[in-house]
Amino acid sequence: MRKKLYLTVLYDSWCPLCKRTSKIIRYLDVFNLINLTSFREKKEKILSPISVDLFEKKMYSINAQNKIYSGYDTILQIVVRTPLIIIYPFMYLMKITKIGYILYGLIARNRKVICKESCCHIPNCSETP
């Protein structure tokens, strides 16, 4: 039963906001159901139908049944696997009204990225080595 609840979350380790968020998620993951992985540091192909360009725009996750979630839907999947489940009704209301998607999009578009490669092509990159 427990394995059915596992979630792999793919985040951008070049993004300071994403790194802070991943630390918070690790802290909240008291049931050890969430596996946080940087899509930039993973050597093999993850979620092969998804391009790096899409990973750079929003966070993706995949559950134990291989269902793919992105953006605000990934946030909802994280919430139901942590003690934050008590705010799920409010978060779900934000999904229905599309406010959650709008807020997620604003944050995702305005986040900064610190490139670790010399040939950076990322629009919101604040520095290159």
Side-chain angles (χ1 to χ4, degrees):
M1 165 74 177
R2 198 177 141 96
K3 287 187 178 185
K4 291 181 182 178
L5 298 174
Y6 285 137
L7 183 72
T8 298
V9 176
L10 300 150
Y11 72 98
D12 188 351
S13 62
W14 290 1
C15 165
L17 174 63
C18 304
K19 286 171 69 172
R20 279 193 307 274
T21 302
S22 70
K23 286 180 184 178
I24 293 167
I25 293 168
R26 281 188 180 97
Y27 177 77
L28 292 171
D29 185 23
V30 295
F31 306 115
N32 294 317
L33 297 174
I34 303 169
N35 174 31
L36 288 148
T37 305
S38 169
F39 77 87
R40 295 193 187 276
E41 295 169 4
K42 199 75 173 163
K43 302 297 182 224
E44 68 272 8
K45 285 261 187 193
I46 315 168
L47 303 176
S48 57
I50 301 171
S51 72
V52 172
D53 291 341
L54 291 175
F55 278 119
E56 290 173 348
K57 292 180 181 162
K58 53 180 148 173
M59 185 169 41
Y60 280 81
S61 64
I62 184 169
N63 68 11
Q65 293 77 34
N66 291 322
K67 182 164 182 181
I68 298 172
Y69 300 92
S70 68
Y72 190 71
D73 291 321
T74 289
I75 300 296
L76 289 173
Q77 292 300 309
I78 292 167
V79 166
V80 299
R81 288 167 174 82
T82 66
L84 293 176
I85 195 166
I86 61 172
I87 64 167
Y88 182 78
F90 173 72
M91 301 287 289
Y92 191 74
L93 181 63
M94 288 179 60
K95 175 182 176 157
I96 293 170
T97 61
K98 309 287 186 214
I99 293 170
Y101 295 105
I102 293 167
L103 291 174
Y104 183 90
L106 285 171
I107 292 168
R109 276 190 304 277
N110 292 306
R111 70 189 178 95
K112 298 295 177 207
V113 176
I114 300 174
C115 297
K116 308 276 191 225
E117 297 178 354
S118 58
C119 56
C120 185
H121 66 281
I122 301 169
N124 286 347
C125 184
S126 60
E127 324 179 352
T128 53

